[in-house]
Amino acid sequence: SFINETARSVADKLQSQTGSPVVLVDNELTRLDESYLFLGKLLGEEERAEVLARYCRETVRSIADRAARIPQDKKVRVYYAEGPDGRKTDPAGSIHTQVLDLAGGVNVAEVPMGPQVGMSSVSMEQILLWNPDLIIAWGASRGGYSEGIAGDTHWKDIEAVKSGHVYAVPDNPFCWFDRPPSVNRVLGLRWLANLLYPEIFDFDIVEEARNFYRLFWHYDL
């Protein structure tokens, strides 16, 4: 959660400057249902808030529960390639890789836990040693390297590249994986779980995306 003393101080200052109430709402992925219920009461939209809360709660619980039962030797080893050259990443347990953790992927990145902004720099040698089965990366629209990895000779001997398992993280209107840590991460859970274990999470992700955007963004894809 981003709610800490610094955030509270900024909110108090903003409220003082504007004369308008400033409310901080928890963005922790596993508690988004509670945040929606709180917002529903705050804004007098309790019926709609319950619908959104239920979607978040059921998605997180059902995927996390099933993922936890996948045998360790059957789990997919994943590298999250951040930055313009794909050589920045975050470890398991980071707020930036929570979707990967909950979906049951094994995060290969053995790097220190950074501050909230995250993104530890890693060498190409480290990535080669980790040799992930699958890579998810920032797409071109975010200034990422998902399209460059396949044609970069430095990456060619990595299992994920050899098998064609390099994927750009969807990011419209907000990223489905982390920055910013929006509700789109809930859809990202369905997307990544289906990508890693399609035989267990048999989602029609196109239809899932349509339903999600209609429900949360009032938009027909």
Side-chain angles (χ1 to χ4, degrees):
S1 172
F2 73 96
I3 298 179
N4 52 35
E5 288 307 314
T6 299
R8 292 187 182 97
S9 176
V10 171
D12 288 342
K13 183 177 181 180
L14 184 59
Q15 181 165 286
S16 176
Q17 290 173 335
T18 63
S20 298
V22 175
V23 179
L24 295 176
V25 182
D26 194 353
N27 69 341
E28 160 58 42
L29 180 55
T30 61
R31 293 196 297 270
L32 282 181
D33 58 331
E34 298 172 26
S35 295
Y36 272 110
L37 295 177
F38 167 73
L39 284 169
K41 292 179 181 178
L42 185 70
L43 302 172
E45 293 282 352
E46 293 178 75
E47 186 173 338
R48 173 158 170 75
E50 176 55 45
V51 173
L52 303 182
R54 186 183 310 116
Y55 183 100
C56 293
R57 181 169 55 250
E58 291 177 354
T59 296
V60 171
R61 287 181 181 176
S62 64
I63 289 177
D65 286 350
R66 280 186 280 173
R69 294 196 293 269
I70 299 172
Q72 194 65 27
D73 63 349
K74 300 294 184 183
K75 290 189 174 182
V76 179
R77 300 173 68 258
V78 181
Y79 174 69
Y80 178 33
E82 302 177 77
D85 60 1
R87 298 185 193 181
K88 293 185 183 296
T89 194
D90 285 286
S94 165
I95 61 172
H96 298 293
T97 57
Q98 192 174 22
V99 170
L100 175 57
D101 294 342
L102 289 172
V106 175
N107 187 339
V108 299
E110 297 174 2
V111 296
M113 185 72 71
Q116 283 199 337
V117 292
M119 291 206 300
S120 295
S121 295
V122 296
S123 68
M124 198 67 240
E125 288 73 21
Q126 285 177 301
I127 302 172
L128 287 165
L129 286 172
W130 291 332
N131 194 26
D133 304 313
L134 184 144
I135 294 171
I136 55 174
W138 289 5
S141 62
R142 296 186 69 195
Y145 202 47
S146 63
E147 296 177 10
I149 288 174
D152 188 327
T153 56
H154 293 96
W155 296 72
K156 66 181 179 62
D157 293 325
I158 295 173
E159 184 59 39
V161 178
K162 290 192 293 185
S163 61
H165 292 150
V166 180
Y167 304 92
V169 178
D171 62 0
N172 287 309
F174 303 111
C175 183
W176 293 15
F177 195 76
D178 60 339
R179 300 171 177 86
S182 76
V183 69
N184 274 20
R185 290 174 299 163
V186 178
L187 177 58
L189 260 180
R190 291 177 180 263
W191 166 75
L192 188 58
N194 172 254
L195 194 65
L196 298 178
Y197 309 108
E199 70 285 356
I200 297 174
F201 301 101
D202 186 20
F203 299 131
D204 179 341
I205 198 60
V206 172
E207 192 57 34
E208 293 287 346
R210 287 182 175 137
N211 291 338
F212 181 90
Y213 277 63
R214 190 178 300 119
L215 180 63
F216 282 86
W217 300 117
H218 305 276
Y219 187 83
D220 287 319
L221 288 174

